[in-house]
């Protein structure tokens, strides 16, 4: 069945260092979304990528969708303590029984040391 | 707008007890979802509902039942709780149509412990 793998599971960085998390799908995706969950909170939508090779930026965050639409990455430049949390990717594949479902990766928990 | 609300926020059950987790949204969304989150396991879909009156199983439906009471409300019931159901439960909604392109809005979660 549909699977979305995400690595690494944990990442500890010094404030100011960069951070990247990667997602890979076993099948071609129609779209990929990224969510952030602060400690003790709930997931909050960050962005969606739809097109092959798409790159989107939000301030220090850069999101990429692979050419084959099977992988994606989130890169944070110069991390800050406010970036602490767990980042999830979620892939969609609107075909038949998977219509409307998002398949979440296990998340990357980011810790930032001041 | 309150967005997605869930009750209760915390619950402790004994093995074999039953309970219903409540979820409501005020965004006029058609699609609603129940997920469970366990450490290191991400978010796993239990059940979802494309519209009022329809429900479908997700990845981990065993031990759960759901009811889409109306467009706003989607409840999750544990008939006979087991320690393996100790988890954080999130309700989410999206709309207006069922597809994966819609952003999902999550509630604050219910932290359930089964002893």
């Amino acid at each position: 069945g549909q699977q979305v793998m995400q690595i690494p599971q944990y990442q500890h960085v010094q404030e100011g260092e960069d951070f990247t998390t990667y997602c890979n799908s076993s099948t071609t995706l129609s779209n990929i979304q990224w969510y952030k969950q602060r400690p003790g909170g709930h997931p909050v939508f960050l962005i969606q990528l739809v097109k092959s090779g798409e790159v989107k930026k939000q301030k220090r965050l850069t999101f990429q969708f692979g050419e084959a639409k099977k992988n994606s990455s989130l890169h944070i430049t110069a991390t800050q303590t406010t970036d602490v949390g767990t980042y999830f990717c979620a892939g969609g594949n609107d075909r038949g029984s998977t219509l409307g479902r998002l398949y979440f990766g296990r998340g990357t928990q980011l810790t930032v040391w001041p | 707008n309150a967005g997605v609300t869930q009750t209760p926020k915390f619950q402790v059950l004994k093995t074999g007890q039953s309970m219903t987790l409540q979820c409501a949204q005020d965004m006029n969304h058609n699609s609603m979802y129940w997920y469970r989150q366990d450490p290191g396991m991400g978010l796993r879909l239990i059940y979802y509902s494309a519209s009022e009156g329809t429900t479908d199983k997700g990845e981990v439906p065993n031990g759960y039942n759901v009811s889409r009471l109306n467009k706003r409300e989607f409840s999750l019931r544990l008939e006979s709780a087991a320690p393996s159901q100790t988890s954080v439960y999130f309700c989410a909604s999206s709309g207006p149509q069922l597809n994966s392109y819609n952003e999902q809005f999550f509630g604050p979660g219910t932290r359930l412990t089964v002893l």
Side-chain angles (χ1 to χ4, degrees), chain A residues 7-87:
Chain A
I7 58 168
Q9 189 173 355
Y10 303 97
Q11 187 78 59
H12 308 279
V13 300
Q14 193 87 32
E15 190 173 19
E17 292 182 336
D18 292 355
F19 159 78
T20 305
T21 174
Y22 301 91
C23 275
N24 284 288
S25 169
S26 55
T27 61
T28 303
L29 299 170
S30 54
N31 58 306
I32 195 156
Q33 297 181 3
W34 285 90
Y35 290 78
K36 177 182 179 180
Q37 182 179 24
R38 288 199 160 92
H42 58 276
V44 175
F45 175 82
L46 291 176
I47 207 161
Q48 174 167 251
L49 304 169
V50 177
K51 299 176 184 176
S52 169
E54 189 169 13
V55 178
K56 286 188 176 181
K57 293 190 175 184
Q58 287 180 349
K59 297 182 180 178
R60 295 178 293 104
L61 278 62
T62 301
F63 304 83
Q64 295 189 14
F65 201 10
E67 294 290 341
K69 300 183 76 172
K70 285 188 172 183
N71 57 75
S72 182
S73 64
L74 158 60
H75 180 83
I76 302 178
T77 303
T79 54
Q80 300 175 357
T81 55
T82 54
D83 296 324
V84 164
T86 300
Y87 293 85

Side-chain angles (χ1 to χ4, degrees), chain B residues 5-70:
Chain B
T5 57
Q6 290 183 238
T7 56
K9 285 187 168 53
F10 301 92
Q11 184 71 51
V12 178
L13 293 177
K14 294 181 180 178
T15 297
Q17 287 185 317
S18 63
M19 79 160 297
T20 300
L21 282 64
Q22 307 286 353
C23 174
Q25 52 91 11
D26 62 2
M27 295 174 282
N28 202 34
H29 286 162
N30 280 315
S31 304
M32 297 186 75
Y33 307 81
W34 275 107
Y35 294 91
R36 61 177 288 174
Q37 184 176 33
D38 303 295
M41 294 297 291
L43 291 157
R44 293 185 291 171
L45 184 65
I46 305 171
Y47 272 93
Y48 64 107
S49 169
S51 61
E52 181 180 352
T54 69
T55 60
D56 286 287
K57 294 179 180 179
E59 301 170 67
V60 289
N62 292 344
Y64 305 95
N65 286 302
V66 289
S67 295
R68 184 73 184 269
L69 305 170
N70 47 55

